Amino acid sequence: MTSVDEKKIHHSHNIWLRDHCRCPKCFHAITKQRLLNTFEIPPDIVPLHVEPKIDGLEVTWPDTVPHVSLYPWSWLQQNSYDPKLKSLETANEKVLWGSKIEKSPPTVTYEEVMHGDDRGLFKWLSNIDKFGFSFVTSVPSTPEATEKLTERIGFIRETQYGRFWDFTANMAKGDTAYTTLALGAHTDTTYFTDPCGLQLFHLLSHTDGSGGASLLVDGFYAASIVKELHPTAYSLLSKTLVPAHAAGEPSALFRPNPSSGYPVLGHDPLTGELKQVRWNNDDRSVMSHLESDRVEEWYNAIRIWNQCLTSSDSEFWLQLQPGTVVVMDNHRVLHGRSAFDGKRRMCGAYVGMDEYRSKLAVLTEKFAPDTILRATNDLPLVTANGRNIWNSAL
Ligand SMILES: [Zn+2]
C-alpha cells in the first residue's frame, strides 16, 4: 500500500505494515517485545480501511474483530524502504583528528561525570562517540576512584588480565604491556572475537625515572588517508582476514572465532561505513591463507597503513599525569607509549562495546531525543516503563 506524508510517497507491503503494528495486542509496551504471531498474518492480507490522521496513518485490518493500527508519520518516514529515505537525523557525527588535537583535546571533569544529573556522563560518552577518546581531569589518584568512574559507564569487562587492573612493569602477565618497552600504536585484544570496547587508563604514579609518554592515533583518520591516496591498499585492509593470538600465559590460549580472524578495517555491511579498526602487528598469527599472487600486495598495504599510523601528522603524544584519566574507543583509536624507566603504576579497565553503547543510547534518549521521540512522546499508550515504543532502536 501507499501512504502520503508531507508530499512524500512511501510504498510499504501490507504484510510488512501488519507485522509492525505496535498496538497493545501486537507489541508489549513494557518489555518492547513482539506479541503478534507473524505467521498467522495471511500472506495476501489487504486493509479494510486506510485513513491519514494527524498523528499518523491509521490502518484497519480484517480480523474476527477488525484490528486498528496507527503508524506515526515520523516513524514511517524513518523506516521507509521504498524509496529508501535519508534518515531524519544521522548518527552523532565523527570528528576525525590528527596531531593538532593536542590544542584542545575533548575533556570533562571528574566532578561533572560523578555528580549531577547524568549530563556530565552524557558529555563524556558523547566525546568518546565523536572523537574516539576523552580525558577526565581532577580524578582522585586512587584505584578506587578510577574504578568508580569506570562503573559510571557500565559494568567492567573482565579479561585474562583481571577485572580492574592496578599494575607496574613486573611481567606479572606474559604481555609486553607489563614491561618497560616502547609499544607502537595498536588496538587491544585483537585476538578476541569481540575486542574490548572502551579502555580506560590512569597513571597513578611514576617515580625514580622518566619516559613513558602516551600515544593516541585516530584509526579512522589514518584509514581515511589510506582510502584517499591508496584505494587498493584500503580494499586489501578491508578484505584480508588477519588471525591473532594471545599465548603468553600457559593457562590461556586466545584466538578469535572464526580463527581465520577479521580484517584490519571492519565495515557496516549495510552502509559501507568504517566501524572497527583491529590492529596489533605483534599479536598477528601466521598468514597462511593469503593467495600467492596477493602476498606482496598485502605486505605493501600494511606498510602503507603503518606509515599513516606512525606519521607525525597522525600521532598525538601526551604525558599523562596522576589525576587525568584517558578513555578510548578501542574499536577506533590506537594507543601506545614510549619506553620508560623507574617505577610506573597504572590502573584501568575495559568496558564492553555493547555496555558503553547501551549507556550512550539511554542518555541520548533522555538528553537529545530524536525526531521520532519528539513527535510521538505525547501520544497515548506510547510510553511504558520509561521508554517510548517508537524508539528508533526497536
Ligand atoms: Zn495491533
Side-chain angles (χ1 to χ4, degrees), residues 18 21 23 26 67-69:
R18 181 65 192 87
C21 179
C23 80
C26 296
H67 190 102
V68 181
S69 308

Side-chain angles (χ1 to χ4, degrees), residues 17-27 36 59 61 63 67-71:
L17 269 183
R18 181 65 192 87
D19 182 48
H20 287 87
C21 179
R22 291 202 172 158
C23 80
K25 282 186 190 138
C26 296
F27 192 83
L36 163 75
V59 182
W61 304 99
D63 209 323
H67 190 102
V68 181
S69 308
L70 181 80
Y71 307 91

Side-chain angles (χ1 to χ4, degrees), residues 63-81:
D63 209 323
T64 36
V65 179
H67 190 102
V68 181
S69 308
L70 181 80
Y71 307 91
W73 296 119
S74 54
W75 182 89
L76 282 171
Q77 189 186 340
Q78 180 79 23
N79 295 291
S80 164
Y81 57 86

Side-chain angles (χ1 to χ4, degrees), residues 120-367:
L121 180 61
F122 181 52
K123 185 177 163 194
W124 185 27
L125 300 189
S126 299
N127 277 349
I128 300 166
D129 187 37
K130 204 167 173 181
F131 297 94
F133 80 102
S134 177
F135 292 123
V136 186
T137 55
S138 310
V139 182
S141 301
T142 65
E144 293 76 21
T146 313
E147 188 173 348
K148 284 210 170 66
L149 177 72
T150 312
E151 287 171 337
R152 284 287 279 149
I153 307 174
F155 50 86
I156 288 173
R157 179 163 173 191
E158 191 163 1
T159 66
Q160 70 272 33
Y161 304 109
R163 184 178 168 278
F164 185 84
W165 1 282
D166 179 359
F167 69 93
T168 50
N170 59 2
M171 277 305 272
K173 301 274 177 185
D175 193 277
T176 42
Y178 292 82
T179 67
T180 60
L181 299 171
L183 292 174
H186 64 279
T187 62
D188 273 13
T189 58
T190 53
Y191 42 77
F192 283 171
T193 309
D194 168 31
C196 294
L198 299 184
Q199 183 172 27
L200 188 140
F201 269 131
H202 192 184
L203 176 74
L204 296 175
S205 61
H206 188 182
T207 48
D208 308 325
S210 60
S214 299
L215 168 66
L216 297 179
V217 177
D218 183 359
F220 284 12
Y221 171 70
S224 74
I225 307 275
V226 177
K227 190 175 188 178
E228 196 175 320
L229 302 180
H230 307 278
T232 312
Y234 188 89
S235 166
L236 275 172
L237 292 166
S238 307
K239 286 181 190 143
T240 309
L241 302 176
V242 179
H245 60 266
E249 284 283 311
S251 59
L253 184 48
F254 287 96
R255 308 165 79 185
N257 184 25
S259 54
S260 45
Y262 294 84
V264 175
L265 304 177
H267 295 80
D268 182 332
L270 205 58
T271 64
E273 261 181 294
L274 178 60
K275 287 288 167 184
Q276 184 174 6
V277 171
R278 275 187 192 244
W279 180 246
N280 186 338
N281 200 45
D282 298 357
D283 291 346
R284 184 159 52 76
S285 310
V286 178
M287 300 294 295
S288 57
H289 54 291
L290 285 174
E291 288 165 45
S292 146
D293 57 354
R294 282 289 169 98
V295 173
E296 284 162 336
E297 259 185 288
W298 185 75
Y299 275 98
N300 190 43
I302 60 167
R303 187 183 306 280
I304 288 167
W305 172 238
N306 183 61
Q307 278 163 359
C308 284
L309 291 176
T310 55
S311 92
S312 56
D313 169 59
S314 301
E315 291 184 331
F316 170 31
W317 283 100
L318 59 139
Q319 188 69 57
L320 282 178
Q321 298 292 344
T324 297
V325 162
V326 59
V327 58
M328 55 256 181
D329 175 347
N330 185 54
H331 291 201
R332 170 175 170 186
V333 169
L334 302 93
H335 63 282
R337 61 146 197 254
S338 60
F340 63 95
D341 56 9
K343 197 170 184 302
R344 204 166 174 252
R345 185 180 175 202
M346 278 283 215
C347 71
Y350 293 123
V351 177
M353 183 54 82
D354 293 345
E355 281 70 53
Y356 147 63
R357 297 199 61 80
S358 161
K359 180 64 81 177
L360 179 60
V362 166
L363 297 174
T364 303
E365 194 176 43
K366 183 172 173 188
F367 295 116

